[in-house]
Amino acid sequence: MKKKKVLILGKLPPPYMGPAIATQIILNSSLKDNYDLIHLHTGANSSLRSIGKWSFSKLFRTVGIYLKLIRISLFQRPDLVLIPFSQSTLGFIKDFFFIALARLFGRKVLLQLRGSNFQNWMKSSTPLIQVFVKWSLRLSEGVIVLGNNLKPLFHGIFEEKKVFVVPNGGNYDLSFRVKRNDLVRVLYLGNLQSSKGIEDVIDAISILSEKYAGKFSVDVVGNWRAEKTRVLCMNKVEENKLPVTFHPPASGADKMKFLSDADMLVFTPRAPEGHPWVIVEAMAAGLPIISTDRGAIVESVHHGENGFIVEVESPSAIAAKLELLIADANLREQMGASGRKLYEENFTEEKMVHNLSVTFESAMGSGR
């Protein structure tokens, strides 16, 4: 039987960001056994520092991407086009042309939201932009969100059956093992920026450093997004002699080693999130997790079961939960095992592929 063609728009790493990692995992997954996957790389940024900055070169690259979409629509004739869309006005206008071109050439469109800031952006936009966005979204067959608690973001735009839930999922070369390290290893893994909560983590370590000196260490792995944040965090570490080691961004086997060696993950974003890959990876590694209630995180981190959900921008709350986990190896083991079980039941590649397949069939089978 001939496979249906699905065109997937999306960036690929580098730079390493959630949406780019998601595209890479989907393209390499067993989804390609069920569908003829076509990929259109939409990245116009060569590094994290160029994101959000306008340039003629980025404009020309974007026009080139539109032309590639037209060629694929005309000659390869995909049955469905999956388009992630931005949660900013300029970004959405760029994505609108992907939607419009795909529809112009008779392709069915399925949208994907890889975050949770949609309503905040809409409320801050002018009435004209709000009308434009809602009209544009309705050109599609529906939208994918990363968690059940994100479905209300599209209330009044799509009927409920057109809002599909597909959490992130992946298979990793990681296995749960009991760790009884004398020196407890805390891991922060992500882009190093204020919105991701790195400053709150450093302040929390400062609170604990004297009481638990010599009993724990912290590995901070990621890319600095702003020089001001880098200087602020490094100065605090140096001035207070904190047990923190900064590492450059890690991927592949290097990232898996950090996860395998760690005793727990702390990732406490301030800003809206989707379903961070680092949370899925930490669960696969059997790590208890300290995080915040952002996006779909609470659907993976169940407070008191496989980790803790703390208040946003609260170093004292982070410190209190770190203290519990540093002091109690049995609690770390119990929470890590619970997280691994939750991962195996809900967030593997097989689960994601199944959810995507059901969603694709629903979108392709719907009539306009």
mmCIF file of all heavy atoms in Angstrom, residues 9 80-86 92 95-96 98-100 102-103 108-114 118 133-146 154 157-158 162-164 166 356 359-360 363:
data_model
loop_
_atom_site.group_PDB
_atom_site.id
_atom_site.type_symbol
_atom_site.label_atom_id
_atom_site.label_comp_id
_atom_site.label_asym_id
_atom_site.label_seq_id
_atom_site.Cartn_x
_atom_site.Cartn_y
_atom_site.Cartn_z
ATOM 1 N N LEU A 9 7.369 20.843 8.279
ATOM 2 C CA LEU A 9 8.160 22.062 8.327
ATOM 3 C C LEU A 9 8.786 22.181 9.709
ATOM 4 O O LEU A 9 8.137 21.873 10.719
ATOM 5 C CB LEU A 9 7.293 23.289 8.053
ATOM 6 C CG LEU A 9 7.069 23.674 6.587
ATOM 7 C CD1 LEU A 9 6.305 22.596 5.845
ATOM 8 C CD2 LEU A 9 6.335 25.015 6.489
ATOM 9 N N LEU A 80 -0.539 16.001 3.548
ATOM 10 C CA LEU A 80 -0.688 16.831 4.741
ATOM 11 C C LEU A 80 0.588 17.631 4.958
ATOM 12 O O LEU A 80 1.686 17.127 4.708
ATOM 13 C CB LEU A 80 -0.945 15.945 5.973
ATOM 14 C CG LEU A 80 -1.212 16.654 7.304
ATOM 15 C CD1 LEU A 80 -2.559 17.389 7.269
ATOM 16 C CD2 LEU A 80 -1.194 15.651 8.463
ATOM 17 N N VAL A 81 0.432 18.873 5.414
ATOM 18 C CA VAL A 81 1.579 19.719 5.733
ATOM 19 C C VAL A 81 1.502 20.082 7.213
ATOM 20 O O VAL A 81 0.512 20.670 7.666
ATOM 21 C CB VAL A 81 1.596 21.006 4.876
ATOM 22 C CG1 VAL A 81 2.842 21.835 5.199
ATOM 23 C CG2 VAL A 81 1.553 20.661 3.391
ATOM 24 N N LEU A 82 2.525 19.698 7.978
ATOM 25 C CA LEU A 82 2.588 20.014 9.407
ATOM 26 C C LEU A 82 3.417 21.278 9.592
ATOM 27 O O LEU A 82 4.595 21.311 9.237
ATOM 28 C CB LEU A 82 3.214 18.847 10.173
ATOM 29 C CG LEU A 82 3.389 19.050 11.691
ATOM 30 C CD1 LEU A 82 2.036 19.217 12.376
ATOM 31 C CD2 LEU A 82 4.164 17.883 12.306
ATOM 32 N N ILE A 83 2.791 22.318 10.173
ATOM 33 C CA ILE A 83 3.442 23.625 10.288
ATOM 34 C C ILE A 83 3.449 24.088 11.749
ATOM 35 O O ILE A 83 2.395 24.391 12.314
ATOM 36 C CB ILE A 83 2.721 24.683 9.427
ATOM 37 C CG1 ILE A 83 2.661 24.234 7.964
ATOM 38 C CG2 ILE A 83 3.407 26.048 9.557
ATOM 39 C CD1 ILE A 83 1.879 25.186 7.058
ATOM 40 N N PRO A 84 4.611 24.146 12.396
ATOM 41 C CA PRO A 84 4.691 24.794 13.713
ATOM 42 C C PRO A 84 4.561 26.310 13.517
ATOM 43 O O PRO A 84 5.070 26.847 12.534
ATOM 44 C CB PRO A 84 6.097 24.433 14.209
ATOM 45 C CG PRO A 84 6.635 23.433 13.229
ATOM 46 C CD PRO A 84 5.913 23.635 11.960
ATOM 47 N N PHE A 85 3.898 26.986 14.430
ATOM 48 C CA PHE A 85 3.740 28.428 14.256
ATOM 49 C C PHE A 85 4.223 29.199 15.482
ATOM 50 O O PHE A 85 4.228 28.691 16.602
ATOM 51 C CB PHE A 85 2.292 28.798 13.918
ATOM 52 C CG PHE A 85 1.300 28.557 15.027
ATOM 53 C CD1 PHE A 85 0.983 29.558 15.928
ATOM 54 C CD2 PHE A 85 0.658 27.329 15.142
ATOM 55 C CE1 PHE A 85 0.058 29.346 16.935
ATOM 56 C CE2 PHE A 85 -0.269 27.101 16.137
ATOM 57 C CZ PHE A 85 -0.571 28.117 17.044
ATOM 58 N N SER A 86 4.634 30.436 15.208
ATOM 59 C CA SER A 86 5.243 31.287 16.225
ATOM 60 C C SER A 86 4.189 31.945 17.109
ATOM 61 O O SER A 86 3.031 32.104 16.726
ATOM 62 C CB SER A 86 6.090 32.372 15.564
ATOM 63 O OG SER A 86 7.104 31.802 14.771
ATOM 64 N N PHE A 92 4.611 35.084 13.462
ATOM 65 C CA PHE A 92 3.388 34.479 12.931
ATOM 66 C C PHE A 92 3.128 34.934 11.495
ATOM 67 O O PHE A 92 2.655 34.134 10.675
ATOM 68 C CB PHE A 92 2.184 34.812 13.804
ATOM 69 C CG PHE A 92 0.934 34.105 13.364
ATOM 70 C CD1 PHE A 92 0.674 32.811 13.789
ATOM 71 C CD2 PHE A 92 0.041 34.707 12.491
ATOM 72 C CE1 PHE A 92 -0.467 32.132 13.356
ATOM 73 C CE2 PHE A 92 -1.095 34.044 12.057
ATOM 74 C CZ PHE A 92 -1.347 32.750 12.496
ATOM 75 N N ASP A 95 5.017 32.767 9.365
ATOM 76 C CA ASP A 95 4.422 31.429 9.294
ATOM 77 C C ASP A 95 3.106 31.432 8.526
ATOM 78 O O ASP A 95 2.727 30.410 7.936
ATOM 79 C CB ASP A 95 4.198 30.883 10.708
ATOM 80 C CG ASP A 95 5.507 30.645 11.446
ATOM 81 O OD1 ASP A 95 6.534 30.433 10.776
ATOM 82 O OD2 ASP A 95 5.509 30.697 12.690
ATOM 83 N N PHE A 96 2.398 32.558 8.539
ATOM 84 C CA PHE A 96 1.138 32.641 7.792
ATOM 85 C C PHE A 96 1.346 32.319 6.315
ATOM 86 O O PHE A 96 0.510 31.652 5.696
ATOM 87 C CB PHE A 96 0.524 34.035 7.934
ATOM 88 C CG PHE A 96 -0.524 34.318 6.894
ATOM 89 C CD1 PHE A 96 -1.779 33.730 6.973
ATOM 90 C CD2 PHE A 96 -0.256 35.156 5.816
ATOM 91 C CE1 PHE A 96 -2.748 33.971 5.999
ATOM 92 C CE2 PHE A 96 -1.211 35.404 4.840
ATOM 93 C CZ PHE A 96 -2.465 34.805 4.938
ATOM 94 N N PHE A 98 3.446 30.281 5.039
ATOM 95 C CA PHE A 98 3.521 28.828 4.896
ATOM 96 C C PHE A 98 2.110 28.241 4.822
ATOM 97 O O PHE A 98 1.815 27.391 3.974
ATOM 98 C CB PHE A 98 4.276 28.203 6.074
ATOM 99 C CG PHE A 98 5.737 28.531 6.123
ATOM 100 C CD1 PHE A 98 6.325 29.002 7.288
ATOM 101 C CD2 PHE A 98 6.541 28.350 5.013
ATOM 102 C CE1 PHE A 98 7.674 29.298 7.351
ATOM 103 C CE2 PHE A 98 7.903 28.635 5.055
ATOM 104 C CZ PHE A 98 8.463 29.116 6.231
ATOM 105 N N ILE A 99 1.255 28.692 5.733
ATOM 106 C CA ILE A 99 -0.133 28.200 5.771
ATOM 107 C C ILE A 99 -0.849 28.552 4.466
ATOM 108 O O ILE A 99 -1.475 27.694 3.830
ATOM 109 C CB ILE A 99 -0.885 28.808 6.977
ATOM 110 C CG1 ILE A 99 -0.205 28.438 8.295
ATOM 111 C CG2 ILE A 99 -2.353 28.353 6.978
ATOM 112 C CD1 ILE A 99 -0.742 29.193 9.506
ATOM 113 N N ALA A 100 -0.737 29.819 4.060
ATOM 114 C CA ALA A 100 -1.463 30.296 2.885
ATOM 115 C C ALA A 100 -0.995 29.601 1.610
ATOM 116 O O ALA A 100 -1.815 29.212 0.762
ATOM 117 C CB ALA A 100 -1.305 31.809 2.759
ATOM 118 N N ALA A 102 0.487 26.620 1.320
ATOM 119 C CA ALA A 102 0.075 25.214 1.326
ATOM 120 C C ALA A 102 -1.401 25.094 0.956
ATOM 121 O O ALA A 102 -1.792 24.226 0.154
ATOM 122 C CB ALA A 102 0.339 24.597 2.698
ATOM 123 N N ARG A 103 -2.232 25.949 1.494
ATOM 124 C CA ARG A 103 -3.673 25.916 1.185
ATOM 125 C C ARG A 103 -3.920 26.321 -0.269
ATOM 126 O O ARG A 103 -4.787 25.763 -0.945
ATOM 127 C CB ARG A 103 -4.436 26.840 2.131
ATOM 128 C CG ARG A 103 -4.475 26.369 3.571
ATOM 129 C CD ARG A 103 -5.219 25.044 3.749
ATOM 130 N NE ARG A 103 -6.571 25.153 3.231
ATOM 131 C CZ ARG A 103 -7.144 24.255 2.444
ATOM 132 N NH1 ARG A 103 -6.471 23.170 2.073
ATOM 133 N NH2 ARG A 103 -8.382 24.423 2.037
ATOM 134 N N LYS A 108 -3.689 19.945 2.627
ATOM 135 C CA LYS A 108 -4.283 20.063 3.957
ATOM 136 C C LYS A 108 -3.192 20.453 4.953
ATOM 137 O O LYS A 108 -2.062 19.970 4.867
ATOM 138 C CB LYS A 108 -4.937 18.748 4.370
ATOM 139 C CG LYS A 108 -6.251 18.481 3.639
ATOM 140 C CD LYS A 108 -7.000 17.320 4.256
ATOM 141 C CE LYS A 108 -8.384 17.195 3.602
ATOM 142 N NZ LYS A 108 -9.181 16.117 4.228
ATOM 143 N N VAL A 109 -3.560 21.293 5.893
ATOM 144 C CA VAL A 109 -2.592 21.850 6.843
ATOM 145 C C VAL A 109 -2.969 21.446 8.267
ATOM 146 O O VAL A 109 -4.131 21.531 8.669
ATOM 147 C CB VAL A 109 -2.543 23.388 6.733
ATOM 148 C CG1 VAL A 109 -1.719 23.992 7.877
ATOM 149 C CG2 VAL A 109 -1.966 23.810 5.382
ATOM 150 N N LEU A 110 -1.964 20.993 9.011
ATOM 151 C CA LEU A 110 -2.103 20.742 10.442
ATOM 152 C C LEU A 110 -1.080 21.616 11.153
ATOM 153 O O LEU A 110 0.100 21.622 10.788
ATOM 154 C CB LEU A 110 -1.844 19.267 10.749
ATOM 155 C CG LEU A 110 -1.919 18.835 12.219
ATOM 156 C CD1 LEU A 110 -3.322 19.028 12.773
ATOM 157 C CD2 LEU A 110 -1.489 17.370 12.359
ATOM 158 N N LEU A 111 -1.528 22.364 12.136
ATOM 159 C CA LEU A 111 -0.641 23.276 12.848
ATOM 160 C C LEU A 111 -0.131 22.640 14.131
ATOM 161 O O LEU A 111 -0.714 21.690 14.648
ATOM 162 C CB LEU A 111 -1.385 24.575 13.171
ATOM 163 C CG LEU A 111 -1.924 25.338 11.964
ATOM 164 C CD1 LEU A 111 -2.758 26.534 12.415
ATOM 165 C CD2 LEU A 111 -0.787 25.796 11.062
ATOM 166 N N GLN A 112 0.962 23.184 14.645
ATOM 167 C CA GLN A 112 1.510 22.694 15.903
ATOM 168 C C GLN A 112 2.011 23.861 16.736
ATOM 169 O O GLN A 112 2.739 24.731 16.246
ATOM 170 C CB GLN A 112 2.650 21.704 15.662
ATOM 171 C CG GLN A 112 3.165 21.058 16.946
ATOM 172 C CD GLN A 112 3.971 19.813 16.687
ATOM 173 O OE1 GLN A 112 4.657 19.717 15.684
ATOM 174 N NE2 GLN A 112 3.910 18.847 17.582
ATOM 175 N N LEU A 113 1.594 23.872 18.008
ATOM 176 C CA LEU A 113 2.067 24.873 18.961
ATOM 177 C C LEU A 113 3.078 24.218 19.880
ATOM 178 O O LEU A 113 2.745 23.301 20.624
ATOM 179 C CB LEU A 113 0.904 25.429 19.789
ATOM 180 C CG LEU A 113 1.300 26.492 20.826
ATOM 181 C CD1 LEU A 113 1.690 27.793 20.138
ATOM 182 C CD2 LEU A 113 0.183 26.741 21.826
ATOM 183 N N ARG A 114 4.324 24.698 19.834
ATOM 184 C CA ARG A 114 5.373 24.133 20.676
ATOM 185 C C ARG A 114 5.705 25.090 21.815
ATOM 186 O O ARG A 114 6.836 25.496 22.002
ATOM 187 C CB ARG A 114 6.616 23.819 19.843
ATOM 188 C CG ARG A 114 6.382 22.651 18.910
ATOM 189 C CD ARG A 114 7.651 21.892 18.597
ATOM 190 N NE ARG A 114 7.351 20.524 18.200
ATOM 191 C CZ ARG A 114 7.242 19.507 19.051
ATOM 192 N NH1 ARG A 114 7.412 19.708 20.340
ATOM 193 N NH2 ARG A 114 6.965 18.296 18.625
ATOM 194 N N PHE A 118 0.584 31.380 23.844
ATOM 195 C CA PHE A 118 -0.330 31.841 22.810
ATOM 196 C C PHE A 118 -1.328 32.881 23.324
ATOM 197 O O PHE A 118 -1.486 33.955 22.728
ATOM 198 C CB PHE A 118 -1.070 30.638 22.214
ATOM 199 C CG PHE A 118 -2.069 31.005 21.154
ATOM 200 C CD1 PHE A 118 -1.651 31.396 19.892
ATOM 201 C CD2 PHE A 118 -3.431 30.967 21.417
ATOM 202 C CE1 PHE A 118 -2.567 31.747 18.914
ATOM 203 C CE2 PHE A 118 -4.357 31.310 20.454
ATOM 204 C CZ PHE A 118 -3.926 31.699 19.196
ATOM 205 N N VAL A 133 -5.046 36.446 13.185
ATOM 206 C CA VAL A 133 -4.496 35.177 13.663
ATOM 207 C C VAL A 133 -5.580 34.105 13.706
ATOM 208 O O VAL A 133 -5.385 32.977 13.226
ATOM 209 C CB VAL A 133 -3.849 35.358 15.051
ATOM 210 C CG1 VAL A 133 -3.488 33.997 15.659
ATOM 211 C CG2 VAL A 133 -2.607 36.236 14.956
ATOM 212 N N LYS A 134 -6.744 34.450 14.250
ATOM 213 C CA LYS A 134 -7.823 33.460 14.350
ATOM 214 C C LYS A 134 -8.267 33.002 12.963
ATOM 215 O O LYS A 134 -8.495 31.806 12.730
ATOM 216 C CB LYS A 134 -9.001 34.053 15.133
ATOM 217 C CG LYS A 134 -8.708 34.267 16.610
ATOM 218 C CD LYS A 134 -9.889 34.911 17.326
ATOM 219 C CE LYS A 134 -9.570 35.150 18.803
ATOM 220 N NZ LYS A 134 -10.701 35.811 19.508
ATOM 221 N N TRP A 135 -8.394 33.932 12.043
ATOM 222 C CA TRP A 135 -8.782 33.582 10.671
ATOM 223 C C TRP A 135 -7.729 32.682 10.030
ATOM 224 O O TRP A 135 -8.063 31.692 9.380
ATOM 225 C CB TRP A 135 -8.961 34.853 9.847
ATOM 226 C CG TRP A 135 -9.196 34.583 8.390
ATOM 227 C CD1 TRP A 135 -10.360 34.210 7.780
ATOM 228 C CD2 TRP A 135 -8.208 34.643 7.341
ATOM 229 N NE1 TRP A 135 -10.169 34.033 6.431
ATOM 230 C CE2 TRP A 135 -8.863 34.289 6.133
ATOM 231 C CE3 TRP A 135 -6.843 34.968 7.310
ATOM 232 C CZ2 TRP A 135 -8.193 34.256 4.907
ATOM 233 C CZ3 TRP A 135 -6.184 34.918 6.097
ATOM 234 C CH2 TRP A 135 -6.851 34.576 4.912
ATOM 235 N N SER A 136 -6.460 33.008 10.237
ATOM 236 C CA SER A 136 -5.371 32.226 9.653
ATOM 237 C C SER A 136 -5.360 30.802 10.191
ATOM 238 O O SER A 136 -5.199 29.836 9.444
ATOM 239 C CB SER A 136 -4.024 32.891 9.937
ATOM 240 O OG SER A 136 -3.975 34.200 9.427
ATOM 241 N N LEU A 137 -5.531 30.652 11.509
ATOM 242 C CA LEU A 137 -5.506 29.339 12.124
ATOM 243 C C LEU A 137 -6.638 28.458 11.597
ATOM 244 O O LEU A 137 -6.469 27.243 11.408
ATOM 245 C CB LEU A 137 -5.608 29.448 13.650
ATOM 246 C CG LEU A 137 -4.451 30.160 14.377
ATOM 247 C CD1 LEU A 137 -4.706 30.182 15.872
ATOM 248 C CD2 LEU A 137 -3.118 29.485 14.079
ATOM 249 N N ARG A 138 -7.771 29.073 11.313
ATOM 250 C CA ARG A 138 -8.933 28.299 10.850
ATOM 251 C C ARG A 138 -8.787 27.817 9.409
ATOM 252 O O ARG A 138 -9.639 27.067 8.921
ATOM 253 C CB ARG A 138 -10.210 29.140 11.008
ATOM 254 C CG ARG A 138 -10.601 29.376 12.468
ATOM 255 C CD ARG A 138 -11.950 30.044 12.584
ATOM 256 N NE ARG A 138 -12.289 30.330 13.978
ATOM 257 C CZ ARG A 138 -12.475 31.553 14.479
ATOM 258 N NH1 ARG A 138 -12.380 32.619 13.678
ATOM 259 N NH2 ARG A 138 -12.780 31.717 15.743
ATOM 260 N N LEU A 139 -7.725 28.206 8.728
ATOM 261 C CA LEU A 139 -7.446 27.656 7.406
ATOM 262 C C LEU A 139 -6.949 26.221 7.497
ATOM 263 O O LEU A 139 -6.841 25.531 6.491
ATOM 264 C CB LEU A 139 -6.388 28.508 6.686
ATOM 265 C CG LEU A 139 -6.781 29.940 6.309
ATOM 266 C CD1 LEU A 139 -5.574 30.688 5.761
ATOM 267 C CD2 LEU A 139 -7.921 29.944 5.298
ATOM 268 N N SER A 140 -6.630 25.784 8.706
ATOM 269 C CA SER A 140 -6.055 24.453 8.918
ATOM 270 C C SER A 140 -7.116 23.451 9.347
ATOM 271 O O SER A 140 -8.274 23.799 9.592
ATOM 272 C CB SER A 140 -4.967 24.537 9.992
ATOM 273 O OG SER A 140 -5.563 24.716 11.266
ATOM 274 N N GLU A 141 -6.675 22.190 9.457
ATOM 275 C CA GLU A 141 -7.550 21.109 9.913
ATOM 276 C C GLU A 141 -7.546 20.984 11.427
ATOM 277 O O GLU A 141 -8.300 20.175 11.978
ATOM 278 C CB GLU A 141 -7.102 19.775 9.298
ATOM 279 C CG GLU A 141 -6.885 19.795 7.798
ATOM 280 C CD GLU A 141 -8.118 20.214 7.034
ATOM 281 O OE1 GLU A 141 -9.243 19.973 7.529
ATOM 282 O OE2 GLU A 141 -7.964 20.805 5.944
ATOM 283 N N GLY A 142 -6.695 21.741 12.103
ATOM 284 C CA GLY A 142 -6.624 21.670 13.549
ATOM 285 C C GLY A 142 -5.224 21.994 14.036
ATOM 286 O O GLY A 142 -4.343 22.376 13.255
ATOM 287 N N VAL A 143 -5.013 21.832 15.336
ATOM 288 C CA VAL A 143 -3.738 22.199 15.940
ATOM 289 C C VAL A 143 -3.312 21.149 16.961
ATOM 290 O O VAL A 143 -4.144 20.581 17.676
ATOM 291 C CB VAL A 143 -3.820 23.586 16.605
ATOM 292 C CG1 VAL A 143 -4.838 23.609 17.741
ATOM 293 C CG2 VAL A 143 -2.457 24.050 17.106
ATOM 294 N N ILE A 144 -2.021 20.877 17.010
ATOM 295 C CA ILE A 144 -1.433 19.975 18.001
ATOM 296 C C ILE A 144 -0.888 20.808 19.154
ATOM 297 O O ILE A 144 -0.181 21.793 18.944
ATOM 298 C CB ILE A 144 -0.286 19.146 17.390
ATOM 299 C CG1 ILE A 144 -0.809 18.211 16.296
ATOM 300 C CG2 ILE A 144 0.433 18.338 18.466
ATOM 301 C CD1 ILE A 144 0.304 17.484 15.555
ATOM 302 N N VAL A 145 -1.196 20.382 20.390
ATOM 303 C CA VAL A 145 -0.596 20.974 21.581
ATOM 304 C C VAL A 145 0.145 19.870 22.333
ATOM 305 O O VAL A 145 -0.041 18.674 22.062
ATOM 306 C CB VAL A 145 -1.640 21.645 22.499
ATOM 307 C CG1 VAL A 145 -2.270 22.833 21.801
ATOM 308 C CG2 VAL A 145 -2.720 20.649 22.930
ATOM 309 N N LEU A 146 0.981 20.254 23.290
ATOM 310 C CA LEU A 146 1.876 19.308 23.946
ATOM 311 C C LEU A 146 1.333 18.707 25.236
ATOM 312 O O LEU A 146 1.997 17.877 25.850
ATOM 313 C CB LEU A 146 3.219 19.981 24.223
ATOM 314 C CG LEU A 146 4.017 20.352 22.964
ATOM 315 C CD1 LEU A 146 5.187 21.258 23.307
ATOM 316 C CD2 LEU A 146 4.509 19.111 22.245
ATOM 317 N N PHE A 154 -6.989 27.283 22.826
ATOM 318 C CA PHE A 154 -7.653 27.484 21.539
ATOM 319 C C PHE A 154 -9.171 27.439 21.641
ATOM 320 O O PHE A 154 -9.856 27.244 20.641
ATOM 321 C CB PHE A 154 -7.139 26.442 20.535
ATOM 322 C CG PHE A 154 -5.689 26.630 20.213
ATOM 323 C CD1 PHE A 154 -4.723 25.896 20.890
ATOM 324 C CD2 PHE A 154 -5.283 27.566 19.282
ATOM 325 C CE1 PHE A 154 -3.376 26.088 20.620
ATOM 326 C CE2 PHE A 154 -3.944 27.768 19.013
ATOM 327 C CZ PHE A 154 -2.993 27.024 19.677
ATOM 328 N N ILE A 157 -11.587 29.123 19.039
ATOM 329 C CA ILE A 157 -10.954 29.146 17.711
ATOM 330 C C ILE A 157 -11.204 27.823 16.998
ATOM 331 O O ILE A 157 -11.616 27.793 15.845
ATOM 332 C CB ILE A 157 -9.439 29.420 17.821
ATOM 333 C CG1 ILE A 157 -9.199 30.780 18.486
ATOM 334 C CG2 ILE A 157 -8.784 29.381 16.439
ATOM 335 C CD1 ILE A 157 -7.734 31.101 18.719
ATOM 336 N N PHE A 158 -10.936 26.715 17.702
ATOM 337 C CA PHE A 158 -11.190 25.388 17.167
ATOM 338 C C PHE A 158 -12.188 24.667 18.058
ATOM 339 O O PHE A 158 -12.187 24.855 19.281
ATOM 340 C CB PHE A 158 -9.901 24.544 17.127
ATOM 341 C CG PHE A 158 -8.877 25.004 16.132
ATOM 342 C CD1 PHE A 158 -7.696 25.595 16.560
ATOM 343 C CD2 PHE A 158 -9.087 24.841 14.773
ATOM 344 C CE1 PHE A 158 -6.741 26.012 15.654
ATOM 345 C CE2 PHE A 158 -8.129 25.254 13.851
ATOM 346 C CZ PHE A 158 -6.969 25.852 14.293
ATOM 347 N N LYS A 162 -10.714 19.237 17.241
ATOM 348 C CA LYS A 162 -9.648 19.663 16.338
ATOM 349 C C LYS A 162 -8.411 20.163 17.081
ATOM 350 O O LYS A 162 -7.479 20.672 16.471
ATOM 351 C CB LYS A 162 -10.159 20.750 15.390
ATOM 352 C CG LYS A 162 -11.127 20.221 14.333
ATOM 353 C CD LYS A 162 -11.318 21.213 13.215
ATOM 354 C CE LYS A 162 -12.111 20.605 12.075
ATOM 355 N NZ LYS A 162 -12.164 21.491 10.896
ATOM 356 N N VAL A 163 -8.414 20.010 18.397
ATOM 357 C CA VAL A 163 -7.227 20.313 19.197
ATOM 358 C C VAL A 163 -6.660 18.974 19.669
ATOM 359 O O VAL A 163 -7.246 18.291 20.505
ATOM 360 C CB VAL A 163 -7.550 21.220 20.395
ATOM 361 C CG1 VAL A 163 -6.272 21.553 21.173
ATOM 362 C CG2 VAL A 163 -8.226 22.506 19.930
ATOM 363 N N PHE A 164 -5.531 18.583 19.093
ATOM 364 C CA PHE A 164 -4.941 17.264 19.320
ATOM 365 C C PHE A 164 -3.795 17.354 20.328
ATOM 366 O O PHE A 164 -2.995 18.296 20.272
ATOM 367 C CB PHE A 164 -4.410 16.690 18.008
ATOM 368 C CG PHE A 164 -5.433 16.660 16.899
ATOM 369 C CD1 PHE A 164 -5.481 17.679 15.948
ATOM 370 C CD2 PHE A 164 -6.348 15.619 16.806
ATOM 371 C CE1 PHE A 164 -6.414 17.657 14.920
ATOM 372 C CE2 PHE A 164 -7.288 15.594 15.785
ATOM 373 C CZ PHE A 164 -7.321 16.606 14.840
ATOM 374 N N VAL A 166 -0.393 15.793 21.638
ATOM 375 C CA VAL A 166 0.728 14.900 21.329
ATOM 376 C C VAL A 166 1.929 15.340 22.166
ATOM 377 O O VAL A 166 2.691 16.220 21.769
ATOM 378 C CB VAL A 166 1.096 14.914 19.834
ATOM 379 C CG1 VAL A 166 2.239 13.936 19.559
ATOM 380 C CG2 VAL A 166 -0.112 14.586 18.959
ATOM 381 N N LEU A 356 0.880 10.817 16.984
ATOM 382 C CA LEU A 356 0.999 11.567 15.733
ATOM 383 C C LEU A 356 0.248 10.873 14.603
ATOM 384 O O LEU A 356 -0.425 11.525 13.793
ATOM 385 C CB LEU A 356 2.472 11.739 15.354
ATOM 386 C CG LEU A 356 3.249 12.833 16.078
ATOM 387 C CD1 LEU A 356 4.729 12.761 15.713
ATOM 388 C CD2 LEU A 356 2.702 14.224 15.752
ATOM 389 N N THR A 359 -3.394 11.454 14.935
ATOM 390 C CA THR A 359 -3.672 12.852 14.611
ATOM 391 C C THR A 359 -3.611 13.098 13.107
ATOM 392 O O THR A 359 -4.481 13.774 12.532
ATOM 393 C CB THR A 359 -2.681 13.768 15.346
ATOM 394 O OG1 THR A 359 -2.813 13.579 16.756
ATOM 395 C CG2 THR A 359 -2.932 15.231 15.018
ATOM 396 N N PHE A 360 -2.581 12.575 12.459
ATOM 397 C CA PHE A 360 -2.447 12.740 11.002
ATOM 398 C C PHE A 360 -3.657 12.161 10.270
ATOM 399 O O PHE A 360 -4.207 12.787 9.360
ATOM 400 C CB PHE A 360 -1.177 12.058 10.493
ATOM 401 C CG PHE A 360 0.105 12.762 10.861
ATOM 402 C CD1 PHE A 360 1.329 12.180 10.566
ATOM 403 C CD2 PHE A 360 0.095 13.999 11.485
ATOM 404 C CE1 PHE A 360 2.516 12.818 10.892
ATOM 405 C CE2 PHE A 360 1.279 14.645 11.816
ATOM 406 C CZ PHE A 360 2.490 14.043 11.517
ATOM 407 N N ALA A 363 -6.654 14.404 10.701
ATOM 408 C CA ALA A 363 -6.553 15.630 9.918
ATOM 409 C C ALA A 363 -6.735 15.372 8.434
ATOM 410 O O ALA A 363 -7.394 16.141 7.729
ATOM 411 C CB ALA A 363 -5.198 16.301 10.168
#
